[in-house]
Amino acid sequence: MDFIDYYKILGIGKDATEEDIKKAYRKLARKHHPDLNPNDKEANKKFQQINEANEVLSDPEKRKKYDQYGKDWMHAEAFEKAQQSGNRGGQGGARGFEGFGEGFGGGFTGDFNTGEGGFSDFFESLFGRSSGRGSGGGARGQFRGQDYQAELEISLADAATTHQRVLTVGGKNIRITIPAGVENGQVIRLKGHGAPGSNGGPDGDLYLTFSIADDPRWTREGNDLHTKIPLDLYTAVLGGEITVDTLTGKVKLKIKPGTQNELRLKGKGFPVYKQDGQYGDLYVTPEIRLPTDLTEKEKELFRQLAALKH
C-alpha cells in the first residue's frame, strides 16, 4: 500500500500550525469544491483528497500517529502490542512487525483509489471500515461541509440600528437580523449555512465579516463618535448656539464664550452591541475659522481691540 503524503496534498510543511492547516484546507477546498466545478471528476476527486488530509492533520491524535509511524502508523497500536508480546516470548518485537502488511489490511493497494463520495483505501485502513459496507458497497464515512466566508458592507448609520438583510449564499436566500452596534471587522457565525456535508455529514457554517463604510460626518472609536464642526471666531469668543448632527437627528448645542476645547454630548454616540438602551458619547471638536476678506472698518476694529490688550 502506497504512503499518502497529506502534508503535500495541503501544500504545507510538517511544522505547520493548526491555523496553517485550517487556512490551507479552506483555500484548496474552496478552489476544488464540487459546487464550483460541476461535472468535473478530477476536481471532485481532489476535493475528497483535501478533506481526507484535513481529517487527519486537523486531529492532534491522528496527526501525532501519522508523524510518528509514517507509512505504518495505521498499525501503531498493533505493533506496540506485538512488541510487548514478543518481548515476553523472548523474541524481538520488530520482527513481528514485518507481517503486518498482510495481517492488517494488506489487500489494499494503490494511491487515492476512491469511489463516488468515498475515501481512499489507505484512509479506511487507518480508521476502519463500516460494518455496513460489506464487499464493496454500503456506508461511507461522513464529512462536514465546507465553511463559507463572506463580507457584508453596511453604512455606519445602518450599523447603529437593528435591521434585517437578505443574503444570497450558495444559491439560497438567507434572512439575517443585524444587531445594532456591530463593529467594523466583526465576524459572526451562521451555523449550518455553509456547504452541504458529504455522505450525510453536517453542513458547514457561514462566517460573515462586517465591513462598515466610512462616514463623512463621524468617526467611530468603540462606542463613541467624534465629529468636527466649523465655529466662527465671533461665536467662539462671545458664545452662541450651533446645530450638530447626531445619529438620531440634529440637536442644538450651546457654546460658552471662549470655547475652544472638545465638547461632549452624553449618550449621543453609538449603541452598545446587544445591550439595549446603552450608548456611547458624541465628542464635538470645534474648528475655529478666522474671518477673511475683512473690510477696512472691520480691520480697524480689530486694531482697536488689539490696542486694548497692550
Side-chain angles (χ1 to χ4, degrees), residues 175-230:
R175 183 181 297 276
I176 66 171
T177 298
I178 303 174
V182 292
E183 296 187 16
N184 186 48
Q186 182 174 342
V187 180
I188 63 172
R189 180 174 71 114
L190 301 176
K191 188 175 181 180
H193 287 292
S198 300
N199 304 315
D203 294 343
D205 299 330
L206 169 62
Y207 288 86
L208 187 63
T209 301
F210 289 99
S211 175
I212 301 178
D214 292 335
D215 193 287
R217 296 167 293 178
W218 312 287
T219 56
R220 180 183 177 186
E221 293 183 7
N223 296 316
D224 294 329
L225 292 176
H226 294 259
T227 188
K228 296 179 180 180
I229 57 169

Side-chain angles (χ1 to χ4, degrees), residues 31-204:
K31 178 180 179 182
H32 298 284
H33 196 281
D35 288 350
L36 302 179
N37 302 275
N39 303 319
D40 188 336
K41 292 185 178 180
E42 284 301 314
N44 184 58
K45 179 180 178 181
K46 185 67 175 178
F47 180 69
Q48 294 190 29
Q49 294 174 359
I50 294 164
N51 275 326
E52 184 172 316
N54 181 66
E55 178 74 15
V56 175
L57 298 185
S58 64
D59 185 308
E61 288 300 318
K62 294 175 185 176
R63 182 183 181 184
K64 181 179 179 181
K65 291 181 180 180
Y66 180 79
D67 289 342
Q68 184 175 357
Y69 292 98
K71 68 183 182 65
D72 296 311
W73 74 282
M74 77 293 292
H75 306 312
E77 294 181 4
F79 172 54
E80 291 168 356
K81 290 179 180 179
Q83 276 189 314
Q84 295 172 2
S85 176
N87 289 335
R88 286 195 298 269
Q91 299 178 351
R95 181 181 174 185
F97 188 65
E98 296 174 358
F100 281 0
E102 296 180 1
F104 292 85
F108 300 128
T109 59
D111 193 3
F112 275 97
N113 184 22
T114 61
E116 289 299 320
F119 307 134
S120 68
D121 290 336
F122 177 76
F123 184 88
E124 291 185 334
S125 70
L126 306 185
F127 305 117
R129 296 189 175 207
S130 169
S131 59
R133 177 169 177 169
S135 58
R140 297 282 190 175
Q142 297 178 336
F143 274 126
R144 180 178 178 276
Q146 176 193 355
D147 290 334
Y148 285 158
Q149 305 281 341
E151 182 176 290
L152 177 62
E153 182 171 327
I154 59 177
S155 68
L156 186 68
D158 284 341
T161 60
T162 298
H163 65 286
Q164 291 188 332
R165 288 287 181 93
V166 176
L167 309 177
T168 302
V169 179
K172 297 180 180 180
N173 290 334
I174 305 172
R175 183 181 297 276
I176 66 171
T177 298
I178 303 174
V182 292
E183 296 187 16
N184 186 48
Q186 182 174 342
V187 180
I188 63 172
R189 180 174 71 114
L190 301 176
K191 188 175 181 180
H193 287 292
S198 300
N199 304 315
D203 294 343

Side-chain angles (χ1 to χ4, degrees), residues 216-219 225-231 242-245 262 282-289:
R217 296 167 293 178
W218 312 287
T219 56
L225 292 176
H226 294 259
T227 188
K228 296 179 180 180
I229 57 169
L231 191 64
I242 60 172
T243 301
V244 178
D245 285 327
E262 189 176 61
L282 172 61
Y283 290 87
V284 180
T285 300
E287 292 186 328
I288 300 175
R289 305 286 178 86

